[in-house]
Every structure is written in C-alpha cells, then in structure tokens.
Amino acid sequence: PRPHGHCRRPPCARAPARQGSQAPVSLSFMPGAFVRLKRRRDFLRVAAARQKAVMPGMVVQACPRPDGGIDPRVGFTASRKVGNAVLRNRARRRLKALVETMLPEQGMDGTDYVLIARQATPERNFADLRQDLETALKRLSRTERSRA
C-alpha cells in the first residue's frame, strides 16, 4: 500500500472523465456557410427539373426551392467514375471550397443546386474550376430568367 492508503490513485487525482462527447458551448453562424442538400429525394427533384450546365470540371444542376426559402442550398456528388474514394473526396472538397467563396455572391436566391464532379475535377486547375462554376451559374441564371 501507498502512504495515502489507496493503491491505485494518488490523492490529487481528479474524477474520471465522463463518457460520451462534450456538449457544444455555443455554435454561431459562420459567414460563407451554406445549407446542404442531403436527402436523395432532393437530389432527384433537382435532376428532374432538367436545368443543367455541363462544364469540363463539373456539372451544375439547378431547381427552384419548393418550400419558398430564400437561401440557396447545395448538394455535392461524385460517382465512382471520378475514381477511388480518395479522389472522390478530393473532388467534393474542391467543389465545396468553390461554393463557399462564389455562391453567396453569384448564386440565385431560392434555388437548389447540385454539383456533380467529373473525372477532371480532382486534377483540374482551381482557377479553371472557378471559371467553370462562374460560367455555369451565369448560364443557369439566364435560363431561369427566360423561363420566368
């Protein structure tokens, strides 16, 4: 036995850590953050609208929001044609980085977007991807205005 009488814990030991994750203290809205499309039915609804712009680095699909919301929402997808899991994740990360910087200024309010990665997305120059997204958003806004 130890001099303090307990064979395993010293006297200055704290209580053991509790199980589970820690509750967040506070979460604030991050500038540039956007609402994500995550449900399959949302992706299918945007695809059914048949408004798309095909670019060398990505395909951008658009559809008006059915709930009448103001903020644009975005979904990302990368099929196995893009490559293995590492390449698909890289492609999605690159598309997310583009959207965070460009969609707040150039996206149409009340619109759902789906960005589909292509085989060139993981290796394409970032400036070229930016130009692709800018061109696609302009094309989609023209077609939306002509339908209205």
Side-chain angles (χ1 to χ4, degrees), residues 61-74:
Q61 298 174 329
C63 175
R65 284 182 67 165
D67 59 359
I70 297 172
D71 295 331
R73 300 186 299 180
V74 185

Side-chain angles (χ1 to χ4, degrees), residues 45-105:
R45 181 182 47 77
V46 174
R50 304 185 66 77
Q51 282 186 304
K52 67 179 178 179
V54 180
M55 306 304 296
M58 71 192 78
V59 177
V60 182
Q61 298 174 329
C63 175
R65 284 182 67 165
D67 59 359
I70 297 172
D71 295 331
R73 300 186 299 180
V74 185
F76 302 94
T77 183
S79 71
R80 281 192 262 169
K81 288 181 186 179
V82 174
N84 62 15
V86 173
L87 290 176
R88 291 194 307 268
N89 288 332
R90 181 181 301 150
R92 275 192 294 267
R93 281 195 309 269
R94 297 185 87 202
L95 293 177
K96 286 176 192 176
L98 281 171
V99 166
E100 285 177 358
T101 60
M102 295 181 66
L103 200 65
E105 298 93 28

